[in-house]
Amino acid sequence: MNITRRQVLWAGGAIGTTALLAACSGGDDTSGKPAAAGGKPKKGGTLRIGALGRAGAITRDPHGTQGNESDYLILALIYDTLTVPGTEPNTEPRLAASWEASTDLKTWRFKLAKGATFHDGTPVTAADVVWSLKRLRNTPSGAARLPGIKAENIKSEGDDTVVLVSDYANAELPLLTRLTTFVLKKDTSDKELEKAPGTGPFKLDWYRGGNARLVRNDAWYGGTVHLDAIEVKMFETPQAMSSALLAGQIDVASNVGAVAARTAESRKDIQVVRRPNDMSMPIVMRTKSGPFADERVREALRLVVDRDAMVKQVLSGYGTVANDIMGTGDPNYAKGIPQRTRDLAKAKKLLTEAKFDLSKTYDLVTTEDIPGLAESATLFASQAREAGIKIQVVKQESGAFYEKTWLKGDLYTTYWGTNDSVVFFASKTLVSEAGQNEAGFADKEFDASYRKVIGTADETARGTALRELQQIEYDKSGYLLWGMADGIDLAVAKVQNLPKLPGYGRVQLENVWLS
Amino acid sequence: MSRTVKDDVVAVPARSGAATVPRRTGTLVLRVAAAVARRALMLAVLLAVVFAAVEVLPGDAATATSERGDSAADVAARRHLLGLDRPLWERFWDWMTALPTGDLGTSARGQKVTDLLADPFPNTLLLGSAAFVLTVVASLALGCWAASRPGRPIDRIIGHAATSAFAVPEFVVSVGLLLVLSLWTGWLPAVTLTGADGNPTTWTMLIMPVLALVIPQTGWNTRIVRGALADQASAPHVEAAHLDGLPPHRVVLRHALPGALPAIATGIATSTGMLLGGAVAVETLFNYPGIGSVLAAAVAGRDAPLIAGVVMCAGAAISLVLLAADLVRARMLGART
């Protein structure tokens, strides 16, 4: 299997989500498993966790491009972000204890958690946070990580308040601060990065070649941490990681995938932790031009797909059927819109109305970046053939795909880690001016609806606007989202309270304990 | 397969041997120097090919290490930062001229290539040399055993076993070993885990990766040894020893083996390349922290300096062993004059 930074960052990803705060919710609602032995957390023990990574892609920079899950995991245990993903609401406090927006939703004030200190004992100040966010913003990917926030618009107010001013109204700005806003001490030089103290639940004991040992930070402001230590072991492949788990060399195989889960199903001593809404592999149909520009053709393709069969075969059943709306993990996801199912008759009728050329063969471009992606294309092609649409699957090497097909092609597969909000996907991929508008979608009604959503402070009014936005997406967008893959971790029986949130939710291990 | 081996490898010493007969030690030094120069030149050509090959791959280090949200301008900036907007030959020249100072350049992620290889390369060397020693011992023993009973059942069994062992790819051997020795019996750790010092936490973690390399290579090398001994069997002094009624194992060890050694040395030396190549597959399966993992990430990241660094280290190791084989050959043939 080929792991690219795209998989690592986005499959899990930059979008992922996470466990919640020990401080805020005590962790009961994220119980990895119906807690054994009365469920009272026990203190102590070392958790040995495997994570994917490659020696050539190692990075120690919290604001760099983390190509390795192992590195991201280690960074996330040492450094805190301002906010973290949760279930409901989907953004929860961390280093920022609370936040509020100005009435125009452009200026956001984040109040830092009381008593937060770095591992060397010095208190965390707003100046440290401002310095860290500016450093992040000035990386090559900074604009993508903190969209709409210029470096000069990141300021401090006193010792405990950080002010972010967005270029435009943005009701979901705290969501952007969830995953990469790792806070370091002001003026940490690049040379000191490897030993720089963080503020997180664990302190670095040692790091070598992608492997690390972390010990509990007893002074953590976020609550009680149960484990004495966490050992992170880097694995190049999910196969090697699952061998290590089955042989008892590690306790958790993080994000190991469906194949390993199938192997482990027969073992009573291994828990299979399924994190729903972890990843989507939608098919993109170009809306701007080409054979799929007609709305009716796109709907026909959405009616052609057999969603149950896709989930069963492509995801080995480790997933759920989806309804062509991106952001299924959002608490505001429109569950009320009826599930689209297979309807070949209606599809054929729509194709005829649209005068779709059934004599031609259409290319569906895919990659093997993540397991199941190319398989999803092949299965879809055979399902489409039943409706008389001839689709030929073209596999492209990852580099070529991103250069030639992504954002440009008529018909291709893509993938996104999700649980991020519906608005996140709207802003990234669906508004006309979105930098990653994969389908070339430009719809005035949708744009207006999106502006209304991000410009509305009132929760109820915002909810209504959000439902409208999702209806438009369901009716017209260029996405065919047939299903959502579960994230899958394997763990030995004694591991309790593993996070169950999708994506990078898996990295927040402060509530884990060993029975 | 074994035919070609015999033709290539065994025929060589006979020819060059004939040419060296009248020469003396002075020319030997010259010949070694020439051999070193030839190997160095080949390595330089190989490195040029590596740089060119990375260039031909779709995408480059800037796109490969960027994030999905990066704009075209960000990628262009990265490209400039990495010097990818300069001509290929210029980048190659810079890399090559820094080489004598021990500088292998900087990876696309901004780390020193020497730092990235500091832990993995010694690990791969350890794995490779352990496998090399074992395969030499095993194939000499098996080859001599078979040659001392030519045409008898044991000769045929060893011959067939060697051919099949070589025909099985390393990863198949690896999976078999993993299932039997670890997951079913629990005798050995399934994968290699490293500690704070960067080394495997117990030496038993080396057993399976080494075996996975040794088994196919021993198949290959046993055929070489057997072939070289068979060629020697028709040499006059070996035939004479045989006719004198000496026991077969004495004839093989004392009379045939010395003459076969140059051919064996050359043949076995070529397996260094295969061992290092096989190590890439084996390391992945057993999570062994060697250059295989570095190479895979480097290719995915279109990281020319890092790929070249790996090729340089592996190429240097292979060249050294080949040189050693050259020396053995030169010495043995010299001794006969």
Side-chain angles (χ1 to χ4, degrees):
Chain A
M1 200 201 70
N2 179 27
I3 311 159
T4 68
R5 84 285 175 189
R6 294 180 181 107
Q7 171 191 1
V8 171
L9 282 169
W10 297 93
I15 315 169
T17 184
T18 188
L20 33 129
L21 275 185
C24 299
S25 39
D28 282 342
D29 36 355
T30 46
S31 305
K33 216 191 174 185
K40 191 157 184 325
K42 260 174 46 184
K43 199 156 176 160
T46 297
L47 180 78
R48 299 165 302 166
I49 180 167
L52 295 171
R54 273 184 172 161
I58 280 173
T59 178
R60 302 292 306 281
D61 187 343
H63 303 139
T65 303
Q66 284 102 29
N68 285 343
E69 292 202 34
S70 47
D71 290 324
Y72 187 88
L73 174 60
I74 293 163
L75 292 170
L77 293 167
I78 300 173
Y79 302 99
D80 279 320
T81 45
L82 283 184
T83 62
V84 287
T87 32
E88 207 165 345
N90 61 358
T91 303
E92 302 214 13
R94 176 56 66 101
L95 197 52
S98 62
W99 50 85
E100 59 180 293
S102 60
T103 40
D104 65 356
L105 295 174
K106 281 188 180 172
T107 306
W108 286 81
R109 288 186 165 72
F110 292 85
K111 258 215 155 54
L112 300 185
K114 284 207 170 21
T117 55
F118 285 101
H119 294 155
D120 61 1
T122 48
V124 183
T125 66
D128 296 314
V129 180
V130 168
W131 182 85
S132 299
L133 292 186
K134 282 189 170 168
R135 184 172 184 271
L136 171 69
R137 184 58 183 76
N138 289 327
T139 61
S141 311
R145 288 155 155 191
L146 286 176
I149 303 165
K150 295 194 183 80
E152 66 263 31
N153 292 333
I154 303 170
K155 289 177 183 134
S156 60
E157 254 178 32
D159 266 355
D160 68 342
T161 307
V162 177
V163 186
L164 303 183
V165 182
S166 168
D167 295 347
Y168 44 82
N170 192 348
E172 293 210 356
L173 190 138
L175 178 96
L176 303 174
T177 64
R178 292 191 311 181
L179 285 149
T180 52
T181 56
F182 293 119
V183 172
L184 287 91
K185 257 168 118 161
K186 194 181 168 205
D187 300 327
T188 302
S189 75
D190 288 356
K191 279 188 185 148
E192 296 161 336
L193 275 182
E194 301 192 353
K195 297 234 155 79
T199 62
F202 290 89
K203 299 188 272 194
L204 186 68
D205 182 5
W206 56 261
Y207 178 101
R208 182 101 186 224
N211 302 288
R213 185 181 152 85
L214 306 143
V215 292
R216 181 177 53 232
N217 171 16
D218 282 310
W220 196 47
Y221 63 92
T224 312
V225 181
H226 306 298
L227 295 167
D228 287 338
I230 294 181
E231 284 179 5
V232 180
K233 313 284 185 191
M234 186 176 80
F235 286 88
E236 199 185 332
T237 65
Q239 288 83 353
M241 187 154 71
S242 94
S243 300
L245 184 93
L246 296 175
Q249 290 180 276
I250 54 173
D251 304 313
V252 177
S254 180
N255 204 25
V256 69
V259 177
R262 265 204 317 257
T263 326
E265 284 292 358
S266 59
R267 291 265 304 248
K268 291 230 160 43
D269 54 335
I270 306 282
Q271 353 169 16
V272 178
V273 179
R274 291 168 68 154
R275 293 176 283 102
N277 295 311
D278 189 59
M279 191 179 51
S280 62
M281 318 180 183
I283 292 170
V284 178
M285 301 171 281
R286 190 157 185 78
T287 60
K288 204 181 213 162
S289 54
F292 308 99
D294 191 315
E295 217 172 287
R296 291 168 295 188
V297 175
R298 298 201 297 274
E299 189 180 352
L301 260 66
R302 286 195 275 255
L303 290 169
V304 154
V305 64
D306 182 343
R307 292 158 202 259
D308 289 311
M310 293 287 274
V311 170
K312 212 163 158 187
Q313 291 176 46
V314 175
L315 307 177
S316 305
Y318 293 96
T320 43
V321 161
N323 205 21
D324 305 317
I325 299 165
M326 307 276 281
T328 55
D330 190 332
N332 283 316
Y333 174 77
K335 294 183 185 81
I337 297 176
Q339 173 66 51
R340 203 176 249 135
T341 51
R342 194 174 209 211
D343 188 342
L344 291 181
K346 192 174 172 197
K348 280 179 186 159
K349 191 164 154 270
L350 284 166
L351 290 173
T352 319
E353 276 172 27
K355 300 192 173 60
F356 185 74
D357 190 350
L358 287 171
S359 66
K360 272 194 194 157
T361 299
Y362 300 89
D363 283 350
L364 169 55
V365 186
T366 189
T367 65
E368 289 180 326
D369 282 6
I370 51 163
L373 194 60
E375 290 82 349
S376 77
T378 311
L379 185 58
F380 174 71
S382 72
Q383 290 173 354
R385 213 162 292 133
E386 291 168 37
I389 311 169
K390 281 176 267 186
I391 289 178
Q392 181 189 326
V393 175
V394 178
K395 273 183 212 167
Q396 248 168 16
E397 188 277 333
S398 182
F401 176 83
Y402 280 93
E403 208 162 273
K404 293 179 190 145
T405 305
W406 191 57
L407 305 180
K408 302 184 188 96
D410 285 335
L411 189 66
Y412 62 91
T413 61
T414 186
Y415 54 95
W416 288 89
T418 190
N419 111 296
D420 246 291
S421 66
V422 168
V423 174
F424 176 91
F425 283 106
S427 68
K428 285 271 180 193
T429 70
L430 290 158
V431 240
S432 321
E433 72 271 13
Q436 304 175 48
N437 195 328
E438 298 183 310
F441 188 59
D443 187 273
K444 284 200 183 72
E445 207 192 336
F446 185 88
D447 291 355
S449 176
Y450 167 75
R451 286 205 186 91
K452 197 167 153 196
V453 170
I454 59 164
T456 305
D458 178 67
E459 280 296 319
T460 326
R462 202 162 159 260
T464 317
L466 252 175
R467 267 190 294 285
E468 278 165 30
L469 179 135
Q470 294 178 68
Q471 184 68 48
I472 306 170
E473 186 177 340
Y474 173 87
D475 290 335
K476 298 184 182 172
S477 90
Y479 285 109
L480 188 172
L481 180 61
W482 49 267
M484 294 297 304
D486 292 344
I488 297 168
D489 306 328
L490 298 182
V492 297
K494 66 173 179 182
V495 182
Q496 307 295 329
N497 224 3
L498 273 175
K500 280 199 127 178
L501 283 168
Y504 268 140
R506 63 179 176 271
V507 302
Q508 253 112 28
L509 302 173
E510 63 271 5
N511 290 329
V512 172
W513 53 280
L514 302 173
S515 62
Chain B
M1 181 75 67
S2 66
R3 239 1 272 174
T4 12
V5 172
K6 272 178 66 178
D7 290 349
D8 287 356
V9 174
V10 180
V12 171
R15 265 191 266 120
S16 52
T20 51
V21 172
R23 309 218 178 147
R24 301 260 152 233
T25 356
T27 51
L28 187 73
V29 174
L30 274 181
R31 276 184 49 212
V32 170
V36 172
R38 204 171 56 233
R39 299 260 179 242
L41 184 69
M42 272 176 66
L43 201 53
V45 171
L46 180 67
L47 289 166
V49 170
V50 165
F51 263 79
V54 176
E55 193 75 1
V56 171
L57 289 174
D60 63 19
T63 56
T65 54
S66 67
E67 288 183 40
R68 206 149 105 169
D70 289 356
S71 68
D74 295 332
V75 175
R78 268 191 84 79
R79 191 164 289 139
H80 181 70
L81 201 73
L82 295 170
L84 295 173
D85 46 1
R86 292 184 305 142
L88 175 67
W89 64 266
E90 212 177 293
R91 279 178 278 142
F92 178 64
W93 179 250
D94 284 355
W95 193 85
M96 285 300 283
T97 45
L99 199 54
T101 63
D103 179 5
L104 294 177
T106 309
S107 83
R109 286 170 200 278
Q111 271 158 310
K112 290 234 139 280
V113 172
T114 38
D115 289 349
L116 283 170
L117 295 177
D119 281 338
F121 188 58
N123 280 338
T124 297
L125 272 189
L126 175 67
L127 183 65
S129 40
F132 186 73
V133 170
L134 268 177
T135 185
V136 168
V137 172
S139 52
L140 276 178
L142 288 170
C144 290
W145 189 18
S148 63
R149 287 163 180 76
R152 304 264 288 279
I154 193 67
D155 186 21
R156 270 178 285 137
I157 290 170
I158 290 176
H160 288 308
T163 309
S164 2
F166 179 62
V168 182
E170 278 96 354
F171 81 88
V172 176
V173 178
S174 306
V175 170
L177 289 168
L178 187 65
L179 279 179
V180 176
L181 296 180
S182 179
L183 296 183
W184 292 348
T185 58
W187 288 338
L188 291 171
V191 298
T192 307
L193 299 177
T194 51
D197 57 0
N199 296 324
T201 40
T202 68
W203 67 271
T204 50
M205 289 170 173
L206 269 163
I207 297 177
M208 280 202 290
V210 166
L211 279 182
L213 287 174
V214 164
I215 291 171
Q217 275 318 302
T218 301
W220 168 261
N221 290 333
T222 302
R223 302 232 41 148
I224 288 175
V225 173
R226 181 70 188 89
L229 289 173
D231 276 14
Q232 287 294 313
S234 54
H237 71 282
V238 179
E239 275 191 344
H242 189 66
L243 292 174
D244 284 347
L246 290 176
H249 66 269
R250 261 186 89 92
V251 177
V252 168
L253 291 179
R254 290 279 173 80
H255 301 272
L257 191 58
L261 270 185
I264 292 174
T266 314
I268 290 182
T270 59
S271 73
T272 327
M274 286 185 276
L275 276 177
L276 286 177
V280 174
V282 167
E283 285 175 4
T284 304
L285 261 153
F286 294 106
N287 205 50
Y288 188 86
I291 53 170
S293 168
V294 179
L295 186 63
V299 173
R302 307 287 181 266
D303 204 337
L306 188 50
I307 300 175
V310 173
V311 171
M312 174 66 215
C313 290
I318 294 170
S319 298
L320 276 178
V321 177
L322 290 177
L323 260 180
D326 286 349
L327 288 180
V328 168
R329 211 172 68 191
R331 229 194 120 69
M332 296 302 292
L333 295 174
R336 280 219 327 236
T337 53

